[in-house]
Amino acid sequence: MTKHLISSADLSRAEVEDILETAASMHDLQRREVKKVPTLRGRTVINFFFEDSTRTRSSFEIAGKWMSADTINLSAKGSSTSKGESLRDTAMTVDAMAVDALVIRHHASGACHQVAQWVRCSVINAGDGTHEHPTQALLDAYTLRSRLGDLDGKHVVIVGDLTHSRVFRSNIITLKTLGARVTVVAPPTLMPSGIGAWSAADGFATSWDLDPVLDGEGEHGSVDAVMMLRVQRERMSGGYFPTAREYTVGYGLTRDRLERLVARNDDVLVLHPGPMNRGLEIAPEAADSPQSVVLDQVSAGVAVRMAVLYHLLAGEDTPAPMPASATEGAVR
Amino acid sequence: MPCPDLSAPDQSSTDRSSIPEDARDVMSEGDISRALRRIGHEILERNKGSDGLVLLGIPSRGVPLARRLAACIEEVEGTVVPVGELDITLHRDDLRRNPVRTAHRSRIPAGGIDDQVVVLVDDVLYSGRTIRAALDALSELGRPRAVRLAVLVDRGHRELPIRADHVGKNLPTSSAERVHVRVAEVDGLDVVRISGGDAR
């Protein structure tokens, strides 16, 4: 296991399976009266969230606490970042307090990778810009596997705002690692540029039309799960689609589309990483249907993040070299 | 600065590597079967029957041993004793000395362990650290009326004040020796062998 979790590509299939197996044992904890194990006693985990978050931040905090680590939450507001401190100085300041892990969410793609170069502690990516969100992909895989079993050959359709989606980027990698077949659907304006070469390299299918994919027409084949992505209005400066209504008609999981999906496969699963824009990308009837595993995803989130903290922090210490600036002037 | 490793070498009951050539047999298939039968009877005698018994095997080889004990008890008493698995990975005190181990699910019988007599079952009792971890794991699952310990082999060299209630075979060893337990459900054969140390 690597020291950091920056990208879903850091994990081999065996490592993903180890984490998901460990997560299953963590999940059992949640059903117990005493939801705490002493495994990470004496370790300190800092959750540094430069962007807003409900579930990722609270689940990392709960995960750390249930493993007996000391967890501290920092946000950009209320930290020295608001006084103009640079990311490097902030990261090195926190690292100098001898913490064991830094969980980072940042609006800039690549921020976690960059921080990992500067600090001695483990860095866990909790979402960096439009790049990756590896623990989300792991919890999605956990949720899918707990309902569908082995994901080899299972067909997962990811629909929505692909351009701005770190969830999609991490999911593509983890689902491929686990052998699932993926089709991604988005309007041309929300399809990332260069997706042609990318999909060819990573072996996933793309489509601008949702209905033929959901109906399993031609090569698409039957659908085992549909993952609806959030339309990220905060990352859009407008102009990606004419109206919300038009987006819903073309790409929303409406009641009608859900009924057609269920008619073909009544075990089909509906996922959404949250927060949901009800009525935009997902109809309330779909979000609250028996097919929806949205709350399972949240509950898996804690277990999976416990497993990630365990795999990164529980093992033997590998003393990393002190960063150059910290050793300057040290007596040799 | 990492601490020097003062603990005894890892007694590997889960070691799947091959047993060295010079290993001597100390328990045959027949010996193991007779020892388990005796332990089954001892558990029943001590508990005055099978009421309230729960057998929890410690993975990996404690689990098939617990199942066999339950089968013995069923043969004698005609009652089915619940059997579970207790994974102790998250409670180990040597996590920071070793590469990460995957934690597995514990399987606790549906009736739980509250007010039951839990018999922990493991293959080898050595330092006692595994059992310490198991006791911690148990305390998070409930409050048993009593906890007892049954092991196939007690090889001595305890590092904690822990003893077994039921022992298949007391095996005096030097700490340089290794005890290899193989059970049919995991390894395809039943045998206990000892290797290393000075040939006697």
Side-chain angles (χ1 to χ4, degrees), chain A residues 115-274:
Chain A
V115 169
Q117 318 299 311
W118 294 327
V119 298
R120 280 169 299 157
C121 64
S122 291
V123 174
I124 300 171
N125 184 353
D128 60 334
T130 59
H131 176 225
E132 282 216 43
H133 192 357
T135 57
Q136 176 74 40
L138 287 168
L139 73 90
D140 289 339
Y142 181 89
T143 307
L144 288 167
R145 269 168 53 125
S146 64
R147 295 294 188 102
L148 301 175
D150 197 339
L151 296 188
D152 260 319
K154 294 286 193 301
H155 186 202
V156 180
V157 179
I158 304 179
V159 187
D161 177 3
L162 302 179
T163 297
H164 299 98
S165 179
R166 53 195 177 209
V167 173
F168 145 70
R169 280 170 181 75
S170 285
N171 256 302
I172 283 287
I173 299 168
T174 299
L175 289 172
K176 183 190 176 195
T177 303
L178 292 173
R181 191 160 67 82
V182 181
T183 304
V184 301
V185 183
T189 49
L190 290 172
M191 194 66 96
S193 59
I195 189 105
W198 183 9
S199 61
D202 271 351
F204 61 90
T206 62
S207 170
W208 289 345
D209 289 318
L210 180 57
D211 288 316
V213 177
L214 295 189
D215 291 339
E217 281 177 17
E219 289 180 353
H220 295 306
S222 65
V223 176
D224 295 296
V226 183
M227 186 182 296
M228 303 306 299
L229 300 173
R230 184 170 65 91
V231 173
Q232 303 192 36
R233 289 172 175 172
E234 77 275 19
R235 291 187 211 282
M236 293 180 187
S237 43
Y240 287 96
F241 44 84
T243 63
R245 176 80 195 133
E246 195 166 325
Y247 182 87
T248 306
V249 169
Y251 299 94
L253 187 59
T254 56
R255 189 171 66 181
D256 172 55
R257 287 198 173 104
L258 179 75
E259 280 169 3
R260 286 189 354 244
L261 268 173
V262 174
R264 284 171 191 284
N265 172 12
D266 55 10
D267 292 326
V268 73
L269 301 178
V270 173
L271 292 86
H272 191 298

Side-chain angles (χ1 to χ4, degrees), chain A residues 61-82:
Chain A
E61 184 178 1
I62 293 171
K65 289 193 159 141
W66 284 357
M67 302 285 284
S68 297
D70 295 297
T71 60
I72 291 156
N73 290 329
L74 294 174
S75 56
K77 254 178 266 169
S79 72
S80 286
T81 305
S82 61

Side-chain angles (χ1 to χ4, degrees), chain A residues 47-94:
Chain A
N47 296 321
F48 209 148
F49 278 63
F50 293 85
E51 262 189 359
D52 295 340
S53 164
T54 303
R55 62 215 86 215
T56 306
R57 176 162 142 170
S58 54
S59 63
F60 263 114
E61 184 178 1
I62 293 171
K65 289 193 159 141
W66 284 357
M67 302 285 284
S68 297
D70 295 297
T71 60
I72 291 156
N73 290 329
L74 294 174
S75 56
K77 254 178 266 169
S79 72
S80 286
T81 305
S82 61
K83 299 178 190 165
E85 188 173 55
S86 71
L87 178 62
R88 182 168 194 264
D89 286 334
T90 305
M92 288 179 63
T93 301
V94 172

